[in-house]
């Protein structure tokens, strides 16, 4: 496996521990009393979210946001999609590429807070407190765990900072994640920053795009798809970065496909031998790039390695990055994959 080893290893650790996301349902608890309610209606505050069993109350829109890494771009992309990039004082997320034109460059331009990151490529406690955040976003509870060297949610609260764990991250298990979780992240950020109208616009556009695609591929045969990260090793076998469950399966279903390896494990990632992979009929391959400048070369190499696959015979692959994960752009992945699997429908 090529790719910068320490980066790959740290990322693998992060992905295994968290993978892409976390949270709990949100609710607005309006303060009682008509004058307080009137003020809240006018300003949109206070807003209270129930997040991983914690009540987080926002008196005003955060203006010093720290986005932790967590091997995700969901949180930073969601902020950018809602026009909130100017609220970020330190961002540790980045995939190096994106299906959304200009997004990778916009992420690169955000301040990093000049933080010296720890072994998990994230913001250690002292550095975090030094940034004086009023909101810290983490993919899962991992980013608030004291034994990992991070500031806890209580420690952040003591310095006046709210904290937020993304959907499906409360139990650090993204295997049940769906596109609805991407919408929940948008809605929660919409409430926190009082831009719910923007959040609903982004969600409505995505739902409309996905519905149009799903309608086109309805009733078609569902090809078996292999989804994996390029040049990344996360387990003991040759194929340890194969996604078996989680949001990718919802995206595949909406695109008229099915995951070729979803029955191999209940976990998010499968750890597969070369024999198992060779013995599976793979009709198409989706390669996800995480800071890999040439995922297409990896895809071609893979198809060459398994010439018996229908995918190899028909050269059926697509490379994607952030749209295959929790985040505001899942509709782009649905469309790209549907066009790959069902070109005749478009």
């Amino acid at each position: 496996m090529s790719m910068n080893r320490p980066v790959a290893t740290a990322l693998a650790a992060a992905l295994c521990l968290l993978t892409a996301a976390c949270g709990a349902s949100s609710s607005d608890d309006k303060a009682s009393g008509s004058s307080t309610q009137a003020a809240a209606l006018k300003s949109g505050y206070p807003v209270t979210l129930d997040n991983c069993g914690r009540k987080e109350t926002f008196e005003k829109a955060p203006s010093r946001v720290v986005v932790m890494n967590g091997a995700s771009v969901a949180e930073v992309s969601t902020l950018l999609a809602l026009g909130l990039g100017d609220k970020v004082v330190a961002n540790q997320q980045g995939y190096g590429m994106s299906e959304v034109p200009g997004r990778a460059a916009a992420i690169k331009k955000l301040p990093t807070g000049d933080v010296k990151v720890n072994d998990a490529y994230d913001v250690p406690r002292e550095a975090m407190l030094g940034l004086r955040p009023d909101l810290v976003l983490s993919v899962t509870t991992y980013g608030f765990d004291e034994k990992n060297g991070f500031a806890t949610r209580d420690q952040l609260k003591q310095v006046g900072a709210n904290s937020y764990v993304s959907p499906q991250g409360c139990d650090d298990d993204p295997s049940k994640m769906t596109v609805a979780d991407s919408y929940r992240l948008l809605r929660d950020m919409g409430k926190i920053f009082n831009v719910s109208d923007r959040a609903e616009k982004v969600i409505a556009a995505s739902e409309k795009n996905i519905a149009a695609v799903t309608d086109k591929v309805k009733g078609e045969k569902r090809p078996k798809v292999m989804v994996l990260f390029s040049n990344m090793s996360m387990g003991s076998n040759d194929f340890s970065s194969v996604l078996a469950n989680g949001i990718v399966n919802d995206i595949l279903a909406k695109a008229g496909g099915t995951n070729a390896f979803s029955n191999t494990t209940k976990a998010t990632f499968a750890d597969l031998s070369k024999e198992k992979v060779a013995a599976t009929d793979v009709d198409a391959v989706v390669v996800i790039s995480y800071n890999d400048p040439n995922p297409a070369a990896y895809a071609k190499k893979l198809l060459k390695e398994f010439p018996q696959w229908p995918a190899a015979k028909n050269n059926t692959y697509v490379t994607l990055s952030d749209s295959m994960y929790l985040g505001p752009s899942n509709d782009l992945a649905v469309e790209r994959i549907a066009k790959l699997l069902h070109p005749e429908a478009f």
Side-chain angles (χ1 to χ4, degrees), residues 20-26 49 51 67 72-79 82 84 93 135 137-139 164-168 177-193 195 199 202-203 247 325-330:
C22 41
S25 67
S26 54
L49 295 192
N51 185 240
V67 185
S72 173
V73 278
E75 294 70 27
V76 72
S77 300
T78 298
L79 293 178
L82 296 176
L84 299 167
Q93 296 186 344
L135 173 63
L137 302 180
S138 177
V139 188
Y164 176 89
V165 174
S166 291
Q168 303 297 344
M177 196 187 292
T178 67
V179 172
D181 290 307
S182 293
Y183 298 155
R184 183 141 57 98
L185 179 56
L186 279 160
R187 283 199 172 101
D188 283 353
M189 292 303 116
K191 285 175 186 165
I192 289 170
F193 290 91
V195 291
V202 174
I203 292 164
I247 196 168
Y325 253 90
L326 183 78
S329 315
N330 300 145

Side-chain angles (χ1 to χ4, degrees), residues 4-341:
N4 181 326
R5 281 313 303 170
V7 175
T9 314
L11 173 71
L15 279 165
C16 289
L17 280 159
L18 10 145
T19 326
C22 41
S25 67
S26 54
S27 63
D28 279 26
D29 300 330
K30 291 282 181 253
S32 56
S34 55
S35 62
T36 320
Q37 272 184 326
L41 279 171
K42 197 173 170 198
S43 73
Y45 295 97
V47 169
T48 300
L49 295 192
D50 180 1
N51 185 240
C52 298
R54 282 177 71 103
K55 291 254 185 287
E56 291 282 330
T57 299
F58 296 81
E59 303 295 341
K60 62 181 196 303
S63 60
R64 294 188 61 80
V65 184
V66 175
V67 185
M68 296 188 77
N69 184 343
S72 173
V73 278
E75 294 70 27
V76 72
S77 300
T78 298
L79 293 178
L80 289 174
L82 296 176
L84 299 167
D86 61 334
K87 312 289 185 199
V88 177
V89 292
N91 168 56
Q92 292 300 323
Q93 296 186 344
Y95 265 21
M97 53 188 66
S98 171
E99 276 70 77
V100 179
R103 178 167 291 154
I107 290 173
K108 229 187 190 106
K109 275 197 192 117
L110 291 171
T112 62
D114 295 325
V115 172
K116 188 175 187 306
V117 294
N118 61 14
D119 291 345
Y121 287 80
D122 228 325
V123 187
R125 182 190 301 108
E126 293 310 314
M128 177 65 79
L129 299 176
L131 289 166
R132 295 180 294 108
D134 56 10
L135 173 63
V136 179
L137 302 180
S138 177
V139 188
T140 64
T141 58
Y142 177 86
F144 298 124
D145 193 329
E146 198 158 25
K147 69 175 183 292
N148 301 326
F150 298 125
T152 67
R153 298 185 79 172
D154 287 334
Q155 286 165 348
L156 289 165
K157 180 65 83 194
Q158 282 162 13
V159 296
N162 284 95
S163 51
Y164 176 89
V165 174
S166 291
Q168 303 297 344
C170 295
D171 53 5
D172 298 356
D173 177 17
S175 64
K176 293 176 183 61
M177 196 187 292
T178 67
V179 172
D181 290 307
S182 293
Y183 298 155
R184 183 141 57 98
L185 179 56
L186 279 160
R187 283 199 172 101
D188 283 353
M189 292 303 116
K191 285 175 186 165
I192 289 170
F193 290 91
N194 196 24
V195 291
S196 288
D197 53 336
R198 289 185 214 166
E200 292 307 325
K201 263 193 196 127
V202 174
I203 292 164
S206 172
E207 286 180 328
K208 189 180 166 199
N209 290 349
I210 289 174
V213 171
T214 303
D215 197 44
K216 283 191 171 108
V217 300
K218 211 171 32 214
E220 297 284 339
K221 190 170 162 285
R222 295 182 161 267
K224 291 197 189 87
V225 186
M226 180 187 208
V227 183
L228 78 168
F229 278 92
S230 61
N231 290 312
M232 198 180 290
S233 175
M234 297 196 301
S236 52
N237 282 298
D238 291 337
F239 293 92
S240 53
S241 68
V242 176
L243 284 147
N245 293 292
I247 196 168
V248 297
N249 288 9
D250 191 23
I251 290 169
L252 291 177
K254 286 171 165 58
T258 181
N259 191 323
F261 298 98
S262 60
N263 62 353
T264 59
T265 178
K266 286 204 163 39
T268 307
F269 283 93
D271 190 6
L272 304 168
S273 66
K274 191 173 172 178
E275 291 71 30
K276 172 72 184 163
V277 171
T280 306
D281 271 337
V282 173
D283 298 309
V285 173
V286 175
V287 170
I288 305 176
S289 164
Y290 182 100
N291 290 319
D292 178 356
N294 197 353
Y298 178 80
K300 285 174 186 149
K301 191 178 106 208
L302 189 64
L303 294 178
K304 209 169 171 183
E305 198 176 345
F306 301 101
Q308 73 279 19
W309 283 351
K313 290 173 182 147
N314 304 312
N315 198 34
T316 311
Y317 76 90
V318 66
T319 62
L320 293 168
S321 57
D322 58 349
S323 63
M324 281 300 278
Y325 253 90
L326 183 78
S329 315
N330 300 145
D331 57 315
L332 300 181
V334 171
E335 188 180 353
R336 291 275 292 278
I337 293 167
K339 284 179 173 169
L340 176 77
L341 303 180

